[in-house]
């Protein structure tokens, strides 16, 4: 049954409800292991196919760039519109202002540097021109007599005024040119910064999402590894104990050839003495077991066809029904029977969910229920105890001395018997 669940990667909700928390954890862990195994197989297959394609097209140039969309928990492409969520600030306005200010400051800095260079060039240019004109005037006027010095001075002042005027005009043109360049540069820097910020925010958000997923995945892997180590330790301990006691599978043929027809007397246990019953196995058509129990009649036939020949529910080496064995009763009825019992009391009932049984156990704070898989040639707890037992009685006797789970420490101490007469399992032996 466990193999069927792992093959389908699905468990019926009713069957899941029958499992306790530890059984659920172990079952989910095994399903996760199966998922990883399938994923590794798929990855290896894809790698082999990709390698084959590369070998085929090794003389061709190829571009392997791909766009891979980030997916959310619902499996759809992840989308988030910033600013639409409750409590969000108007991000666009803040972002626009910040980028505009950064662009303006950088453009202003560049403009100041450019203006310093331009101003130095203008000053040098007109200083050199003035020096040349002054030298020229001095050279010419020194030839003239002293009376012409006044005219030369006036001419020099006129030329200086004209040069200053031209210098001022040149400065104004330079300032206007610098101002236009500053505005253009500010716009260019603004667009560049905006694109860089969008790209950076996108990458930063993706990095945060990836880191958070990685953290959660590592935490889950550590938890699963811890549970797996604990399950393996428990498996080794119980396996070694079972080998020492000689109660593990390998005894499947112990009762081969034993026929209930040759030993017809079966004692039905109840609180009051009951007569011996004669069990006969009438001739039937070939038994074909459905995939799962679908009715009470099918369960009864399954028990008679498959379990009676394996002495399920009998005490060891006797023809009496074990005191812990019950028929097809519900979980609620089992808990009512165990209600006034002490911790360690237990009973085994025929399960209506699987081909097997349910072991109901009384603990100090409540009850636990463990499914026993009997669909094969052995008996074992579904997802808890890895040991396989040849008979149902072997499983019960084994856990009278060995705990079922390491976390719960369940030992089968006191069998819970019948309250009804006839007993609730009478329909199984009719």
């Amino acid at each position: 049954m466990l193999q069927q669940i792992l093959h389908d990667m699905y468990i019926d909700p009713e069957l899941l409800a029958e499992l306790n928390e530890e059984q659920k954890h172990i079952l989910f862990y095994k399903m996760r292991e199966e998922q990883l195994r399938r994923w590794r197989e798929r990855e290896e297959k894809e790698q082999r196919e990709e390698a084959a394609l590369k070998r085929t097209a090794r003389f061709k140039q190829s571009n392997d760039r791909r766009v891979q969309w980030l997916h959310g928990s619902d499996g759809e492409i992840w989308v988030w519109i910033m600013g639409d969520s409750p409590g969000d600030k108007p991000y666009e306005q803040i972002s626009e202002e910040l980028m505009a200010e950064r662009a303006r400051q950088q453009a202003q800095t560049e403009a100041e540097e450019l203006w310093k260079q331009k101003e130095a060039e203008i000053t040098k240019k007109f200083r050199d021109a003035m020096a040349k004109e002054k030298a020229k005037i001095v050279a010419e006027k020194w030839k003239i007599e002293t009376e012409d010095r006044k005219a030369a001075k006036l001419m020099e002042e006129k030329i200086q005024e004209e040069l200053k005027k031209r210098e001022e005009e040149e400065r104004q043109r330079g300032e206007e040119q610098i101002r236009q360049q500053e505005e253009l540069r500010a716009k260019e820097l603004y667009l560049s910064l905006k694109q860089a910020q969008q790209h950076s925010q996108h990458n930063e958000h993706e990095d945060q999402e990836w880191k958070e997923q990685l953290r959660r995945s590592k935490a889950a892997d550590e938890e699963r590894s811890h549970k797996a180590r604990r399950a393996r330790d428990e498996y080794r301990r119980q396996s070694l104990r079972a080998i020492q006691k000689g109660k593990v599978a390998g005894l499947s043929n112990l009762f081969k050839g034993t026929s209930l027809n040759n030993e017809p007397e079966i004692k039905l246990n109840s609180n009051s003495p009951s007569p011996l019953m004669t069990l006969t196995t009438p001739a039937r058509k070939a038994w074909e077991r459905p995939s799962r129990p679908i009715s009470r009649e099918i369960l009864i036939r399954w028990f008679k066809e498959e379990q009676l020949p394996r002495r399920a529910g009998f005490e060891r080496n006797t023809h009496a029904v074990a005191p812990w064995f019950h028929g097809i009763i519900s979980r609620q009825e089992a808990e009512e029977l165990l209600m006034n019992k002490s911790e360690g009391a237990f009973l085994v009932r025929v399960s209506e969910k699987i081909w097997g049984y349910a072991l109901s156990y009384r603990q100090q704070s409540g009850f636990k229920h463990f499914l026993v898989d009997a669909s094969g040639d052995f008996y074992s707890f579904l997802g808890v105890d890895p040991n396989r037992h040849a008979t149902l009685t072997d499983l019960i006797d084994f856990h009278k001395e060995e705990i079922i789970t390491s976390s719960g420490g369940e030992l089968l101490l006191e069998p819970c018997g019948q309250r009804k007469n006839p007993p609730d399992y009478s329909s199984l032996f009719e």
Side-chain angles (χ1 to χ4, degrees), residues 11 113-114 116 134 140 353 373 385:
I11 180 170
E113 294 293 332
L114 187 60
K116 288 180 181 179
K134 186 175 181 179
E140 291 179 355
K353 307 299 181 183
D373 185 11
D385 181 11

Side-chain angles (χ1 to χ4, degrees), residues 176-429:
E176 180 65 22
Q177 184 180 3
I178 294 298
R179 186 185 63 79
Q180 293 176 357
Q181 291 180 357
E182 179 181 353
E183 292 177 356
L184 182 61
R185 181 59 176 166
K187 292 179 180 179
E188 292 176 354
L189 291 171
Y190 169 75
L191 294 176
S192 176
L193 289 172
K194 185 175 182 180
Q195 292 176 355
Q197 185 186 41
Q198 291 174 351
H199 181 70
S200 175
Q201 289 175 348
H202 180 70
N203 290 341
E204 181 180 358
H205 184 71
E206 286 185 348
D207 290 343
Q208 291 176 353
E209 287 287 331
W210 180 82
K211 289 178 180 178
E212 179 63 19
Q213 291 178 0
L214 182 61
R215 184 189 66 77
R216 292 178 181 175
S217 177
K218 287 183 177 179
D221 287 341
E222 290 177 358
E223 179 66 19
R224 286 191 293 271
S225 298
H226 175 71
K227 291 180 179 178
R229 286 195 298 270
R230 188 175 62 183
R232 284 196 296 269
D233 293 340
E234 180 67 15
Y235 172 81
R236 294 190 186 100
R237 189 188 66 81
Q238 290 190 359
S239 296
L240 181 59
R241 181 68 173 170
I243 291 171
Q244 291 173 350
K245 289 181 173 294
K247 295 180 178 179
V248 190
L251 303 177
S252 57
N253 296 323
L254 179 63
F255 299 103
K256 186 175 181 181
T258 302
S259 173
L260 294 178
N261 292 332
N262 298 331
E263 299 168 348
E265 293 183 346
I266 300 173
K267 184 178 180 181
L268 300 179
N269 286 321
S270 64
N271 292 336
S272 60
S274 60
L276 297 179
M277 295 185 63
T278 301
L279 176 66
T280 61
T281 306
R284 300 172 183 263
K285 296 182 181 180
W287 162 248
E288 294 183 1
R289 184 176 67 192
S291 60
R292 58 171 296 177
I294 56 178
S295 67
R296 187 181 183 89
E297 291 74 18
I298 292 293
L299 270 174
I300 293 174
R301 184 173 181 186
W302 165 77
F303 184 84
K304 291 180 178 180
E305 294 283 350
E306 297 189 17
Q307 296 302 297
L308 277 182
R310 298 170 63 182
R311 295 180 54 81
F314 289 95
E315 290 186 334
R316 187 183 302 279
N317 301 327
T318 69
H319 307 301
V321 179
W324 41 261
F325 185 75
H326 289 256
I328 307 173
I329 62 175
S330 65
R331 174 188 287 220
Q332 183 178 357
E333 290 175 314
E335 292 179 355
E336 289 176 356
L337 290 171
L338 294 168
M339 180 65 69
N340 297 323
K341 299 291 183 179
S342 60
E343 183 177 8
F346 70 98
L347 61 84
V348 177
R349 53 192 171 90
V350 179
S351 173
E352 298 180 276
K353 307 299 181 183
I354 65 170
W355 297 115
Y357 304 89
L359 187 149
S360 299
Y361 179 83
R362 182 70 163 101
Q363 57 181 4
Q364 187 175 3
S365 59
F367 308 93
K368 276 190 177 181
H369 303 272
F370 301 93
L371 290 178
V372 179
D373 185 11
S375 59
D377 295 332
F378 53 85
Y379 297 83
S380 66
F381 285 115
L382 187 63
V384 176
D385 181 11
N387 292 317
R388 297 180 176 185
H389 304 268
T391 67
L392 185 59
T393 305
D394 285 345
L395 184 145
I396 298 301
D397 289 346
F398 180 76
H399 288 290
K400 287 180 179 179
E401 300 180 6
E402 295 295 328
I403 60 175
I404 299 176
T405 64
S406 58
S407 60
E410 304 88 354
L411 276 179
L412 306 182
L413 302 177
E414 177 188 355
C416 178
Q418 299 286 330
R419 288 185 183 175
K420 298 180 180 179
N421 190 16
D424 52 28
Y425 54 68
S426 58
S427 60
L428 301 175
F429 299 98

